[in-house]
């Protein structure tokens, strides 16, 4: 059993499996998205204390211990760039930045400064809010996963440091922006660029499903386009979904 055509092709070409035993069954974790079995907009906005008329940008935070180039310093540059865009009017004044750290994050110190900004909302995983021990797995629990879907549905734009959140956002035909630079610069093998070039992410560029921004100026411009031209990568998103899930 596999998600879709892309995985079927890999089963045949990489693993030499006979086609007659292969079945494409879709990606079960996204079924709740397409069936709309996710929290409502009012539930999301209420939980995160977002004004009802606000427009949401969600930054799906990195996991510095696991993602090459995703240092706390680099993450701060990404967040500061968006907040500056809000302050100088490049982005809608009613925008709110939701930061959703990856469920695998264990060190929360880097987010405490962000949380003080009036335009920032933190979406922590359930285990952290409940004061429990962090999970050994880096996967979210089911309620966190469904909340992620709702967040992607009600966000105007998602930002990710080379991540699968592009798929989550695309399920709702919403734009995502992938970050493809390091600040300060790092050697390629230790950079966010090398992470984005992994085979499990490079297909995003092949489908033209999302931009890979190489500077803070490009980041700001593509987030702005996400508000003003949400259909810019629409065709690529559809092709990606059809092939992947």
């Amino acid at each position: 059993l596999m998600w879709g055509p892309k995985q079927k092709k890999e089963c045949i070409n990489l693993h030499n499996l006979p086609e007659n035993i292969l079945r494409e069954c879709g990606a079960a974790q996204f079924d709740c998205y397409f069936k709309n079995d996710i929290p409502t907009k009012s539930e999301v906005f209420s939980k995160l204390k977002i004004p009802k008329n606000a427009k949401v940008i969600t930054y799906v935070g990195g996991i510095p211990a696991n993602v090459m180039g995703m240092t706390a310093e680099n993450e701060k540059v990404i967040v500061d760039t968006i907040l500056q865009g809000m302050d100088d009017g490049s982005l809608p004044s009613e925008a709110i930045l939701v930061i959703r750290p990856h469920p695998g994050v264990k060190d929360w110190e880097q987010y405490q400064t962000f949380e003080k900004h009036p335009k920032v909302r933190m979406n922590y995983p359930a285990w952290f809010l409940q004061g429990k021990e962090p999970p050994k797995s880096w996967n979210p629990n089911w309620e966190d996963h469904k909340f992620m879907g709702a967040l992607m549905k009600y966000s105007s734009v998602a930002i990710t440091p080379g991540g699968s959140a592009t798929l989550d956002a695309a399920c709702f035909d919403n734009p995502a922006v992938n970050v493809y630079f390091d600040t300060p610069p790092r050697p390629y093998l230790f950079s966010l660029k090398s992470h984005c070039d992994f085979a499990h992410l490079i297909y995003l560029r092949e489908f033209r499903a999302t931009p890979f921004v190489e500077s803070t100026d490009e980041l700001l411009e593509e987030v702005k386009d996400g508000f003003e031209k949400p259909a810019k990568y629409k065709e690529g998103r559809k092709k990606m979904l059809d092939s992947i899930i």
Side-chain angles (χ1 to χ4, degrees), residues 30-46:
F30 296 121
D31 286 354
C32 61
Y33 292 4
F34 296 114
K35 293 177 180 177
N36 206 33
D37 180 23
I38 55 175
T40 64
K41 184 176 181 178
S42 61
E43 288 172 325
V44 171
F45 277 36
S46 175

Side-chain angles (χ1 to χ4, degrees), residues 90-92 156-157 175 177 211 218-233 237:
S90 303
L91 298 175
S156 296
V157 191
V177 178
E218 284 186 20
L219 172 60
L220 203 55
E221 193 61 35
E222 288 291 352
V223 171
K224 183 179 176 184
D225 276 1
F227 282 99
E228 298 175 357
K229 308 171 189 174
K232 185 175 178 180
Y233 297 91
R237 290 195 293 267

Side-chain angles (χ1 to χ4, degrees), residues 81-225:
T81 297
I82 300 306
L83 294 178
Q84 184 179 339
M86 293 176 179
D87 291 341
D88 67 18
S90 303
L91 298 175
S93 60
E94 67 272 29
I96 290 290
L97 177 63
V98 174
I99 300 176
R100 178 186 170 86
H102 191 287
V105 171
K106 303 294 189 290
D107 180 9
W108 302 99
E109 186 176 348
Q110 70 209 62
Y111 297 107
Q112 291 174 347
T113 302
F114 302 150
E115 206 166 4
K116 296 173 185 175
H117 195 287
K119 290 276 191 176
V120 169
R121 303 292 185 273
M122 294 299 304
N123 175 212
Y124 292 117
W127 66 262
F128 178 75
L129 294 175
Q130 294 164 4
K132 296 181 179 178
E133 287 294 313
K136 293 179 181 178
S137 166
W138 67 355
N139 297 315
N141 68 25
W142 188 239
E143 293 307 312
D144 278 340
H145 171 70
K146 292 206 292 186
F147 195 85
M148 169 65 169
L151 200 49
M152 293 295 95
K153 180 176 182 178
Y154 306 122
S155 295
S156 296
V157 191
I159 302 168
T160 173
S164 56
T166 305
L167 271 175
D168 296 79
C171 288
F172 302 99
D173 198 21
N174 283 333
V177 178
N178 278 262
V179 178
Y180 194 65
F181 64 86
D182 302 279
T183 305
R186 291 161 64 85
Y188 177 77
L189 291 180
F190 301 96
S191 72
L192 200 51
K193 284 190 175 186
S194 69
H195 170 75
C196 291
D197 289 343
F198 283 172
H200 74 295
L201 287 174
I202 202 168
Y203 66 84
L204 298 176
R205 208 168 328 151
E206 293 170 350
F207 284 116
R208 290 188 54 77
T210 174
F212 281 74
V213 297
E214 299 195 46
S215 68
T216 53
D217 287 343
E218 284 186 20
L219 172 60
L220 203 55
E221 193 61 35
E222 288 291 352
V223 171
K224 183 179 176 184
D225 276 1

